[in-house]
Amino acid sequence: MNEYEEIFLCKTPQKTSMLSGAQFVRDMIEGHPQTCYELFRMDKETFMNLCDHLKRHENLQDTRFVTVEEAVAMFLLIVGHNVRMRVVADRFQHSTETVARHFKEVRRALCRLGKILICPNNMTNEVSSYVASNPKYFPWFKDCIGAIDGTHISAWVPADRQTSFRGRKTVITQNVMCACNFDMMFTFVYAGWEGTANDARVFLDALTRPEVNFPWPSEGKYYVVDSGYPCVSGFLPPYRGERYHLQEYRGRRNQPIRPDFQY
């Protein structure tokens, strides 16, 4: 009976820190901007805008114990720094069950939000203002609507599938193809492929799957891609054998032939 009473009736409080999760987030917002950026991987204004957007459009609301700002902060710490949930639970003075539940809610809300934000905003015949106002790019890229490239993002996969996800740097990653416009905004993201998959394979898979809804360029428009992608209609890779980077022109024999050469 004494053992039962000590374990179940006379519990010793565990979360006894004077600094609650709400106070911790408030200190980050009101403190040095570099501290907020290092912890949350975004500045104060971006963090607050994200929280406000999730409140308005994704129906994330403050609960009795956890605010939206706390939930987003917990999510960013776990994802951005690979922090264990037990460590986050101790920092925010919540149970691991509460942290895990709000982590899933924020993840689902961000996935829904991504479908709204990551989309083309200019697929018409209008020339991008960034290109039109820059003589370095106009008129050479007046029909270009963006660029496509692949990047490797760290992934968590079961042990029996880690071989296919282990890239050339021996790190377990997934190959993610992204499209970006001249406003430096993502217009398409295609994730899920193994780290060993090459960019061309991911590219062709995204183009041939109707359910992916790839934003095809309109007539006469195109994306710029690197040499790892095929040269097909609507996509412009570099010409084989041509020099494009400044370091390739260094040296006496590598200087340009004509200073006023134009394509």
Side-chain angles (χ1 to χ4, degrees):
M1 291 296 295
N2 293 335
E3 183 179 357
Y4 179 86
E5 182 179 359
E6 291 178 358
I7 296 177
F8 297 101
L9 299 181
C10 300
K11 294 183 179 181
T12 303
Q14 182 179 3
K15 309 299 182 181
T16 58
S17 175
M18 296 293 294
L19 184 62
S20 64
Q23 183 63 43
F24 172 74
V25 176
R26 191 179 305 112
D27 289 347
M28 292 298 102
I29 300 302
E30 298 176 356
H32 196 280
Q34 186 63 26
T35 303
C36 179
Y37 184 83
E38 290 176 354
L39 287 180
F40 299 153
R41 303 298 192 187
M42 59 182 65
D43 54 41
K44 300 178 183 179
E45 184 177 353
T46 304
F47 176 78
M48 296 306 300
N49 288 338
L50 174 62
C51 295
D52 293 339
H53 204 96
L54 292 175
K55 289 180 182 179
R56 293 196 308 267
H57 300 283
E58 300 304 326
N59 297 323
L60 281 184
Q61 302 296 332
D62 297 339
T63 63
R64 180 181 177 183
F65 301 103
V66 181
T67 64
V68 173
E69 288 77 12
E70 283 185 83
V72 175
M74 291 187 293
F75 177 87
L76 295 177
L77 286 177
I78 295 173
V79 174
H81 300 277
N82 195 20
V83 180
R84 294 183 179 273
M85 288 192 179
R86 293 186 180 276
V87 178
V88 175
D90 182 72
R91 172 66 277 176
F92 286 82
Q93 296 294 288
H94 295 303
S95 65
T96 54
E97 187 276 333
T98 300
V99 174
R101 174 160 42 86
H102 284 85
F103 177 87
K104 294 178 181 179
E105 291 179 358
V106 174
R107 182 181 60 185
R108 287 192 291 263
L110 290 176
C111 290
R112 294 193 299 267
L113 184 62
K115 296 180 180 180
I116 301 175
L117 297 180
I118 304 176
C119 63
N121 58 356
N122 183 19
M123 299 296 288
T124 63
N125 293 324
E126 298 180 1
V127 181
S128 171
S129 59
Y130 180 81
V131 175
S133 60
N134 193 333
K136 182 179 179 180
Y137 301 114
F138 187 85
W140 324 117
F141 293 98
K142 62 183 180 65
D143 294 325
C144 181
I145 62 174
I148 295 179
D149 199 1
T151 182
H152 286 261
I153 306 296
S154 298
W156 293 347
V157 296
D160 57 343
R161 299 188 60 192
Q162 289 185 1
T163 302
S164 60
F165 280 84
R166 196 178 301 277
R168 57 187 177 90
K169 296 183 178 180
T170 70
V171 180
I172 299 176
T173 62
Q174 58 175 320
N175 194 343
V176 181
M177 188 185 78
C178 302
C180 183
N181 61 15
F182 285 97
D183 296 325
M184 300 304 294
M185 299 180 62
F186 289 110
T187 58
F188 179 76
V189 175
Y190 189 46
W193 271 89
E194 301 90 337
T196 55
N198 58 56
D199 292 344
R201 185 178 181 185
V202 180
F203 171 78
L204 294 175
D205 185 71
L207 265 59
T208 54
R209 287 180 178 267
E211 65 273 15
V212 175
N213 294 324
F214 180 83
W216 285 87
S218 57
E219 185 68 25
K221 301 292 183 178
Y222 63 90
Y223 291 98
V224 291
V225 296
D226 63 19
S227 57
Y229 293 89
C231 183
V232 294
S233 178
F235 305 91
L236 180 63
Y239 287 99
R240 300 286 183 178
E242 295 292 335
R243 292 179 292 170
Y244 290 92
H245 302 91
L246 291 178
Q247 60 266 25
E248 296 175 347
Y249 289 92
R250 295 174 181 173
R252 179 177 300 179
R253 298 183 179 181
N254 295 328
Q255 294 297 318
I257 300 175
R258 292 174 50 190
D260 59 341
F261 180 76
Q262 295 182 352
Y263 289 98

